[in-house]
Amino acid sequence: MEGIYAIWQRDITKFFRDRARLIGSFSMPILFLLIFGGGMSGTMEGLIGMGGEGLADDFNYVSFVFPGIVAMTLLMTSVFSSLSVIEDKNFGYMKEILVSPISRVNIAIGKMLGAATVATIQGIMLFLLIPLIGLSYPFISLIQVLPVMFLLACALSSFGLLIASFLKSTQGFQLIVQILVMPMIFLSGALFPVNNMPAWMDVIVKINPVTYGVDVMKKIMVDVESLSPMVQEAMGLNLSVFGRTVTIFEEILFIIVFTVILILLATVSFRRANA
């Protein structure tokens, strides 16, 4: 446990000392919030309103997209935080901890928890924007969504660790991550509904862990039950797999299994690493 804590503490300390990273991480989420929240809200609410009189009265597209923006922040921060693994390789730090008594499992878990904690902190900091953009979520909902945010961040951090464990250059990591991150964002329901997708694309949606994280966060933060069935269907708030609507428990279970599998794979990769 001491090894896990030491690795976790190092990543947290690096995060708070890097002010440029702290401030710059808000640029992309705010940009997406302005584009999708401000620019498309009228269009999306208008389309919902075309389904029947009064349907759009109880629907706010910005409240729908905000949990997705938080999930996007978790994704980008978690994955890109794993870049430190390659930097540690280049500076020799990874070689030192690999030859230390710390087990490979503890190394992977420590790096995962460090990246997940940083991502969760940045996601929480986005909550400061809630009153500024005219939204209002129950305080208890914001508290309940925190464990889900951390769990999703763990899953995405383990994904980033697995990628970083195979690479030796930061340029290669950034290129591969950029190719993977954008589809994971756009095919997750974070910014717009992903129902009625082509069959091959729907498969990607259903194996994407961000899809389930976003869906759980929306169900917690947005009062989905108060929306009409037509609005829920139009906005993809009734996610189903094999024709069956998935429950929050099943979505959380999927994220946990995904995390365990990837952290084990990352551990094997660390074990074979020649840092």
Side-chain angles (χ1 to χ4, degrees), residues 135-236:
L135 296 180
S136 177
Y137 296 105
F139 180 75
I140 186 63
S141 297
L142 299 180
I143 297 299
Q144 291 173 339
V145 83
L146 294 182
V148 178
M149 290 169 56
F150 183 73
L151 178 61
L152 179 60
C154 286
L156 300 173
S157 299
S158 62
F159 177 67
L161 280 176
L162 182 61
I163 297 174
S165 64
F166 288 106
L167 302 175
K168 294 185 178 180
S169 70
T170 56
Q171 293 83 358
F173 178 85
Q174 292 174 349
L175 177 62
I176 292 176
V177 165
Q178 287 288 358
I179 294 173
L180 295 174
V181 162
M182 287 298 109
M184 291 178 72
I185 292 174
F186 289 113
L187 295 179
S188 67
L191 304 174
F192 48 79
V194 288
N195 47 352
N196 300 319
M197 290 281 186
W200 66 270
M201 194 174 292
D202 188 60
V203 172
I204 300 176
V205 170
K206 298 303 168 55
I207 63 174
N208 182 4
V210 186
T211 300
Y212 301 98
V214 167
D215 193 62
V216 173
M217 291 172 62
K218 287 180 178 177
K219 287 177 179 177
I220 293 175
M221 298 177 68
V222 180
D223 189 8
V224 175
E225 297 299 328
S226 67
L227 300 175
S228 68
M230 185 174 294
V231 172
Q232 295 182 33
E233 175 66 25
M235 299 310 298

Side-chain angles (χ1 to χ4, degrees), residues 47-64:
L47 291 174
I48 294 295
M50 291 174 62
E53 185 177 354
L55 282 179
D57 293 344
D58 59 349
F59 177 72
N60 184 342
Y61 178 71
V62 180
S63 66
F64 165 84

Side-chain angles (χ1 to χ4, degrees), residues 14 79-94 111 160-161 163-174 176-177 270 275:
K14 286 176 61 178
V79 174
F80 278 102
S81 292
S82 302
L83 182 64
S84 64
V85 172
I86 299 178
E87 295 173 346
D88 290 342
K89 287 181 182 180
N90 295 335
F91 287 104
Y93 175 77
M94 185 59 69
K111 297 296 293 184
L161 280 176
I163 297 174
S165 64
F166 288 106
L167 302 175
K168 294 185 178 180
S169 70
T170 56
Q171 293 83 358
F173 178 85
Q174 292 174 349
I176 292 176
V177 165
F270 278 131

Side-chain angles (χ1 to χ4, degrees), residues 232-251:
Q232 295 182 33
E233 175 66 25
M235 299 310 298
L237 297 174
N238 48 0
L239 181 66
S240 62
V241 178
F242 300 120
R244 177 178 173 275
T245 303
V246 294
T247 64
I248 290 180
F249 173 78
E250 291 169 339
E251 291 175 312

